[in-house]
Amino acid sequence: MGPMRWGDAADEDEGIEGVLPPMQVMGPDEKGVKIIIEWRKKEDGSKVKVTTTVRVKKQVKRLNPAVIRRRSLKKFGDAVGQNSSENLTVVSTEEIFLERFRPVGQQGAKQEEKGADLASLGNASLIVCRTCGKKGDHWTSKCPFKELAANRGFNIGGEKPPGDDDMGMSSSSGPGGKASYVPPSMRMGSKGDGESMRKGRDDNSIRVTNLSEDTREQDLQELFRPFGSISRIYVAFDRDTGLSRGFAFINFVNREDAVRAINKLDGYGYDNLILRVEWATPRTDRA
Amino acid sequence: MRPILLKGHERPLTFLKYNRDGDLLFSCAKDHNPTVWYSHNGDRLGTYRGHNGAVWCCDVSRHTERLITGSADQSANIWDVETGAKLHTFGFESPARAVDFAEGDKLCVISTDPFIGAPSEIHVKRVEKDHSKQSSESLFVIKGPTGRINRAVWGPLNKTIISAGEDCLVRMWDAETGKLIKQSDPDAGHQKVVSSLAKSADGSHFITGSHDKSAKLWDIRTLEVLKTYSTERPVNAAAISPLLDHVVIGGGQDASQVTMSDRRAGKFEAKFFHKIYEEEIGGVKGHFGPINALAFNTDGRSFSSGGEDGYVRIHHFDADYYHIKM
């Protein structure tokens, strides 16, 4: 049967029943739910009842009359004049989050023991980081600000920590900085064997591959944070295109957290891709 | 959230204040021009020109008609909010520090710094609706505390005046006679300079921030310490959310130490604490220097911070802020 034509309905056997019932609208009720019932006829003549349920939500923004009046006030003082207020108000390009704080003591108790730390601190419940001064969060040797502390001692530009993509504040070149280069192994806080630079990178470092292109540090932070405190997240970006290259490195403060993250997230579906999570390879002494 | 950055001041911020309707934000800085901004989009409405020194504090009347500012040029000015016209100048012998309109805007309290031998003072002045009748006479002057009085505010029903400052104590004065009613217990209170004081929306309690690295919540009638929020740096500013049981405190290392270290080490965050449980909720980063001023919008849906770096940052909260579980 071809498309319906005018007058067809009357010719059909159903007679008057062939006419589509009118659209019905019920509601919105007190919950704002509105039900719309429509009838359609398909090309083959069968009738279809379409029920659409809609929730109607009214968003009211109340503005005080005084506020509305003040919106159109004349500018005064230094704000008068052309372009005088230009560039004064900028919306940050950087997304700022309310960074959640992890309660103290959640993991402080099961920290890996290190003789020197224990000796100097005495009481295990009184963990105070000598580098950043934070209490109960981590041991001095595990401080995420470790490299920074080394910089503070000498005011020499250390390596720029990855992921420091914001605002271009260089972390180095303090006032009266010494002119000569001091290798990392000679800086304060280093153990002298060039280990400190590598250590922060290699310790409990895991590699995440097969990430989608629009995964950002923040996403990984959310994904991996539940396993334990993270000291570094590095997402590789293509220098030319600015797109993610699909892999990232994440350093956990604790090795156990890293193990758990690997066990849980290797093969995890994330953003329609299957993640691969493994230990970062370049570590010769891995057992 | 993407904060709105206001770069109107050339010197460190000292104070921020929203008007009662929450549509305007007043900022004071060590440059000489208090500024008013639209709080929803950060547009600058105007500046109040006429001070000749750092401006330490301001207050705006209930219906956003008058602004009062206290400045280091030894004066406190009353301005017309909407035109920026200076209506009256109270002259003092020393820099004016804290200012506050009383409920009803018929009185104001102004504190002055100790200066060349003169002690700090708290002045109470009458504010006339018709500014041509305004007199500079003080109704009375309170003397007694040593050191600066960093904040002086009115208590409930204008019956008391609460002051706090460099001598670490919070004091309650009779607002009619100027007599000392009560002062805080030195052991329970702050151990170092009290840098800020902000009342709750209903005025039943207030929060103080101190260089002893803590902020405390006080009952405004009994001067009892209700809660203590400890942090790891000196507190320069504190504010109480009018919407949720949150307080926000800000600070950082000494301004003189800022250039010596990386900005991440300075901890220039605005820290959120749960008002009741005293637990830290989280931090909002962004400033390049210590935070000197904090204020919640009166609807509790945004807050702004002013830093030593000269920026004001207005933060409108994301939706998930309202569902934070402790």
Side-chain angles (χ1 to χ4, degrees), chain A residues 208-224 233-237 242-248 250 270-273 275:
Chain A
V208 187
T209 46
N210 207 21
L211 284 169
S212 69
E213 277 181 349
D214 30 61
T215 309
R216 295 277 170 270
E217 247 183 77
Q218 186 64 35
D219 305 322
L220 292 174
Q221 174 90 23
E222 276 167 24
L223 186 64
F224 283 91
I233 294 185
Y234 173 72
V235 184
F237 287 103
L243 288 173
S244 163
R245 293 177 63 196
F247 67 93
I250 289 152
Y270 188 67
D271 257 6
N272 73 34
L273 293 172
L275 289 189

Side-chain angles (χ1 to χ4, degrees), chain B residues 224-251:
Chain B
E224 199 184 327
V225 177
L226 303 173
K227 303 283 173 188
T228 300
Y229 314 97
S230 318
T231 172
E232 63 269 0
R233 58 253 133 115
V235 178
N236 295 338
I240 303 172
S241 168
L243 184 67
L244 302 175
D245 278 336
H246 292 172
V247 299
V248 58
I249 66 181

Side-chain angles (χ1 to χ4, degrees), chain A residues 61 64 66-80 84-85 87-103 132-134 145 148 152 155 161 164 166-167 169-172 174-175, chain B residues 1-8 19 21 23-24 33 36-38 40-49 63-64 81-84 259-265 267 272 280-285 288 313 318 321 324-325:
Chain A
K61 198 169 182 193
N64 193 320
V67 173
I68 295 168
R69 190 180 58 80
R70 281 199 288 268
R71 288 267 160 105
S72 49
L73 279 181
K74 259 209 236 140
K75 304 221 162 179
F76 59 88
D78 295 336
V80 179
S84 62
S85 291
N87 305 325
L88 284 185
T89 305
V90 185
V91 176
S92 167
T93 51
E94 197 185 358
E95 190 76 21
I96 303 277
F97 295 90
L98 181 71
E99 287 172 32
R100 295 301 304 276
F101 177 78
R102 189 177 44 81
C132 65
K134 205 160 190 180
F145 298 106
L148 207 139
R152 205 181 327 180
N155 284 328
D164 192 8
D166 30 29
M167 298 314 217
M169 269 280 287
S170 111
S171 63
S172 55
Chain B
M1 52 199 165
R2 286 183 187 269
I4 304 170
L5 277 62
L6 313 179
K7 181 72 190 109
N19 65 343
D21 295 327
D23 63 322
L24 298 179
N33 299 322
V36 58
W37 314 80
Y38 286 111
H40 66 291
N41 62 5
D43 264 356
R44 183 165 74 167
L45 172 59
T47 61
Y48 300 90
R49 284 190 293 202
H63 299 295
T64 321
V81 167
E82 299 183 359
T83 62
T259 51
M260 307 286 282
S261 62
D262 188 282
R263 117 189 107 87
R264 283 165 301 168
K267 308 204 193 303
F272 280 76
E280 186 172 337
I281 296 168
V284 175
K285 289 182 184 158
F288 294 121
R313 298 169 71 97
D318 291 332
Y321 167 77
I324 289 176
K325 289 200 178 63

Side-chain angles (χ1 to χ4, degrees), chain A residues 102 106-108 110-112 137-138 142 203-206 223-231 250-266 277 279:
Chain A
R102 189 177 44 81
Q106 188 174 306
Q107 44 123 239
K110 53 167 182 162
Q111 285 279 352
E112 205 178 316
D137 190 51
H138 51 256
K142 303 262 180 177
D203 251 11
N204 313 324
S205 178
I206 61 175
L223 186 64
F224 283 91
R225 193 68 191 77
F227 296 99
S229 49
I230 294 167
S231 57
I250 289 152
N251 288 38
F252 277 93
V253 172
N254 293 317
R255 202 182 143 80
E256 307 90 79
D257 297 336
V259 173
R260 277 192 296 131
I262 289 175
N263 290 342
K264 198 91 185 181
L265 290 180
D266 193 19
V277 184
W279 289 107

Side-chain angles (χ1 to χ4, degrees), chain A:
Chain A
M1 193 198 268
M4 289 277 291
R5 261 170 291 150
W6 182 82
D8 276 2
D11 297 339
E12 276 173 40
D13 305 340
E14 307 99 276
I16 196 72
E17 280 171 32
V19 179
L20 293 175
M23 189 174 84
Q24 266 182 295
V25 180
M26 292 187 283
D29 61 9
E30 70 279 355
K31 280 181 189 157
V33 177
K34 190 162 109 176
I35 299 168
I36 304 163
I37 301 170
E38 285 173 295
W39 295 84
R40 279 187 217 144
K41 207 153 209 175
K42 279 199 185 168
E43 291 204 344
D44 60 2
S46 56
K47 283 192 284 187
V48 184
K49 180 182 175 189
V50 183
T51 312
T52 322
T53 313
V54 190
R55 167 162 280 171
V56 186
K57 220 174 171 182
K58 238 186 218 169
Q59 226 177 14
V60 183
K61 198 169 182 193
R62 254 169 225 264
L63 280 185
N64 193 320
V67 173
I68 295 168
R69 190 180 58 80
R70 281 199 288 268
R71 288 267 160 105
S72 49
L73 279 181
K74 259 209 236 140
K75 304 221 162 179
F76 59 88
D78 295 336
V80 179
Q82 273 184 330
N83 306 331
S84 62
S85 291
E86 234 176 48
N87 305 325
L88 284 185
T89 305
V90 185
V91 176
S92 167
T93 51
E94 197 185 358
E95 190 76 21
I96 303 277
F97 295 90
L98 181 71
E99 287 172 32
R100 295 301 304 276
F101 177 78
R102 189 177 44 81
V104 173
Q106 188 174 306
Q107 44 123 239
K110 53 167 182 162
Q111 285 279 352
E112 205 178 316
E113 290 187 8
K114 289 215 171 171
D117 285 331
L118 266 186
S120 64
L121 291 164
N123 191 349
S125 66
L126 246 175
I127 302 166
V128 183
C129 175
R130 290 192 302 268
T131 308
C132 65
K134 205 160 190 180
K135 270 187 200 152
D137 190 51
H138 51 256
W139 299 88
T140 307
S141 59
K142 303 262 180 177
C143 180
F145 298 106
K146 205 168 158 193
E147 292 176 20
L148 207 139
N151 287 349
R152 205 181 327 180
F154 272 100
N155 284 328
I156 296 286
E159 48 116 30
K160 195 171 186 275
D164 192 8
D165 51 344
D166 30 29
M167 298 314 217
M169 269 280 287
S170 111
S171 63
S172 55
S173 60
K178 290 177 192 165
S180 60
Y181 172 73
V182 178
S185 59
M186 305 286 283
R187 286 178 203 161
M188 223 164 73
S190 134
K191 292 197 180 73
D193 53 0
E195 189 204 6
S196 74
M197 277 274 288
R198 298 240 39 93
K199 203 165 181 274
R201 292 288 179 102
D202 285 352
D203 251 11
N204 313 324
S205 178
I206 61 175
R207 184 175 68 184
V208 187
T209 46
N210 207 21
L211 284 169
S212 69
E213 277 181 349
D214 30 61
T215 309
R216 295 277 170 270
E217 247 183 77
Q218 186 64 35
D219 305 322
L220 292 174
Q221 174 90 23
E222 276 167 24
L223 186 64
F224 283 91
R225 193 68 191 77
F227 296 99
S229 49
I230 294 167
S231 57
R232 179 181 82 118
I233 294 185
Y234 173 72
V235 184
F237 287 103
D238 192 305
R239 210 168 286 195
D240 300 323
T241 61
L243 288 173
S244 163
R245 293 177 63 196
F247 67 93
F249 291 99
I250 289 152
N251 288 38
F252 277 93
V253 172
N254 293 317
R255 202 182 143 80
E256 307 90 79
D257 297 336
V259 173
R260 277 192 296 131
I262 289 175
N263 290 342
K264 198 91 185 181
L265 290 180
D266 193 19
Y268 179 78
Y270 188 67
D271 257 6
N272 73 34
L273 293 172
I274 306 286
L275 289 189
R276 204 183 142 102
V277 184
E278 61 208 334
W279 289 107
T281 35
R283 190 175 143 133
T284 44
D285 56 344
R286 184 167 304 288

Side-chain angles (χ1 to χ4, degrees), chain B residues 190-206:
Chain B
H190 287 294
Q191 304 306 314
K192 283 189 182 165
V193 177
V194 179
S195 51
S196 67
L197 190 160
K199 286 197 282 184
S200 66
D202 62 359
S204 65
H205 52 288
F206 62 92

